Amino acid sequence: MYRWSFSPMRDLSLNDLRMALLNFIAAKQANEPFIVRVDDADKGHGVEDKEHDTLDMLALFGISYAQLYYQSRNFKYHLQFASTLLDQHKAFICFCPENKTPYDGTCENLSSEEVLNNPNPFVLRMKKRTKDEDSFVIMKTDKYPTPLFARACDDMLQGVTTIIDEEAHRSNAPQEEWIRKSLGYDQAMHYAYVPAFQDAKQSVQGLLDEGFIPEAIANYLLMPNRILTLEAMIATFDPQSDLLTSFEMETLRAINREHIQKLDDSQHVKKYPKEILK
């Protein structure tokens, strides 16, 4: 099972869309389910919720999913798993600042009395797997899970087996694996990492507003050397192929022109709203 998750607090970026496309296409090629999760456990107050915009965007790009999950609905399980780790002495209460890293073990061996008599806010930290690793935070002072802990638990709960993600997230995998192993979960998780665009400032919506059509954007993100539909990319995309790391607007414009030329007038009206074809 493949999964892609997104924050409802920000616009869909080109990197976000590429990750969604890669996981969706890989799931199709492997004939496995593809699920989408809304990472809404840490919503900010007064911040515009862009969840429905993102889900509409997935549909516009032809990305369908077997199930839609909301991270916030797993909150009771996050608390339960954290409590289990604490009871089994695989995690500990810590009164040090959340951002204290590397952690020096100050609170790891506090007695029950020292913990009970300390009125200060606390976090929960995982105990080290090896002496060379860090004791990272899994529950914050507000009693909410860290994004890393929530992801590890959610992937376990949902039976995810494969994740394609940006290279920048590679360092999170060992900690997530350590959390699941500490909870007794032994299902193998397969990770694949791809480079991100380093200089793409445009949002997906911004490109659509400029007149780029979804198939052209998807084509550019995955296979810019050929003019292909999403269906053709599902059939021919090689997961081992190199992906662009530098955004080139002129190449995208050329691909967009090719896709538009392949559409007749009736397809223009049927497939795409007028505002993205201006």
Side-chain angles (χ1 to χ4, degrees):
M1 179 183 292
Y2 289 72
R3 74 105 170 113
W4 175 73
S5 61
F6 70 94
S7 167
M9 297 295 103
R10 58 185 176 84
D11 291 324
L12 189 72
S13 71
L14 288 177
N15 284 317
D16 294 332
L17 177 60
R18 183 153 70 173
M19 293 306 108
L21 285 165
L22 286 170
N23 281 282
F24 171 69
I25 289 175
K28 285 287 188 182
Q29 291 180 341
N31 196 29
E32 293 186 19
F34 169 65
I35 66 172
V36 170
R37 188 175 66 232
V38 183
D39 287 346
D40 63 339
D42 195 23
K43 280 189 176 182
H45 296 294
V47 179
E48 182 182 357
D49 190 335
K50 299 180 182 293
E51 169 199 334
H52 297 295
D53 293 341
T54 297
L55 295 177
D56 289 345
M57 198 80 72
L58 295 184
L60 185 63
F61 279 84
I63 300 173
S64 58
Y65 42 86
Q67 288 181 297
L68 177 66
Y69 288 87
Y70 291 84
Q71 190 174 69
S72 58
R73 297 177 186 173
N74 284 339
F75 179 58
K76 62 182 178 181
Y77 298 111
H78 301 153
L79 289 177
Q80 178 183 343
F81 290 142
S83 178
T84 296
L85 292 171
L86 188 61
D87 291 343
Q88 295 179 354
H89 305 291
K90 296 175 181 177
F92 61 94
I93 290 174
C94 176
F95 297 96
C96 301
E98 290 183 27
N99 59 357
K100 186 175 183 179
T101 181
Y103 186 67
D104 58 8
T106 300
C107 298
E108 186 168 349
N109 297 308
L110 293 178
S111 66
S112 298
E113 183 178 354
E114 288 174 310
V115 170
L116 291 173
N117 291 330
N118 193 324
N120 296 313
F122 64 87
V123 300
L124 291 188
R125 290 182 183 270
M126 285 292 294
K127 287 193 173 181
K128 294 181 180 182
R129 178 169 43 177
T130 70
K131 65 179 182 179
D132 297 323
E133 296 180 354
D134 208 2
S135 295
F136 55 91
V137 176
I138 58 173
M139 297 293 285
K140 301 177 290 185
T141 55
D142 60 6
K143 307 301 185 290
Y144 276 85
T146 61
L148 184 144
F149 185 64
R151 282 196 307 269
C153 294
D154 293 338
D155 288 339
M156 177 176 68
L157 288 167
Q158 293 153 12
V160 173
T161 57
T162 309
I163 299 169
I164 303 173
D165 210 341
E166 292 178 26
E167 182 66 37
H169 297 156
R170 182 186 291 270
S171 60
N172 293 333
Q175 295 178 333
E176 293 178 14
E177 292 283 1
W178 177 230
I179 290 167
R180 288 190 288 266
K181 182 177 180 180
S182 298
L183 289 166
Y185 187 75
D186 57 7
Q187 171 68 53
M189 186 78 71
H190 304 286
Y191 294 90
Y193 297 96
V194 298
F197 282 115
Q198 302 300 316
D199 52 359
K201 298 181 174 60
Q202 296 85 349
S203 69
V204 177
Q205 186 60 58
L207 291 177
L208 293 173
D209 291 342
E210 288 185 39
F212 293 97
I213 64 175
E215 286 195 335
I217 297 173
N219 193 164
Y220 174 74
L221 291 176
L222 299 183
M223 301 179 71
N225 295 323
R226 300 171 62 189
I227 303 301
L228 298 169
T229 63
L230 178 61
E231 292 75 14
M233 286 192 287
I234 291 173
T236 62
F237 181 73
D238 179 3
Q240 303 300 318
S241 60
D242 292 332
L243 296 172
L244 294 176
T245 58
S246 180
F247 182 76
E248 299 175 358
M249 181 63 80
E250 288 309 310
T251 302
L252 175 56
R253 290 189 192 281
I255 292 173
N256 195 56
R257 286 193 293 269
E258 293 282 347
H259 276 277
I260 291 178
Q261 288 172 4
K262 289 179 178 294
L263 298 174
D264 59 34
D265 291 340
S266 63
Q267 287 177 303
H268 276 227
V269 175
K270 182 178 179 181
K271 292 188 71 173
Y272 304 117
K274 291 180 180 179
E275 55 267 25
I276 69 170
L277 288 169
K278 60 186 179 181

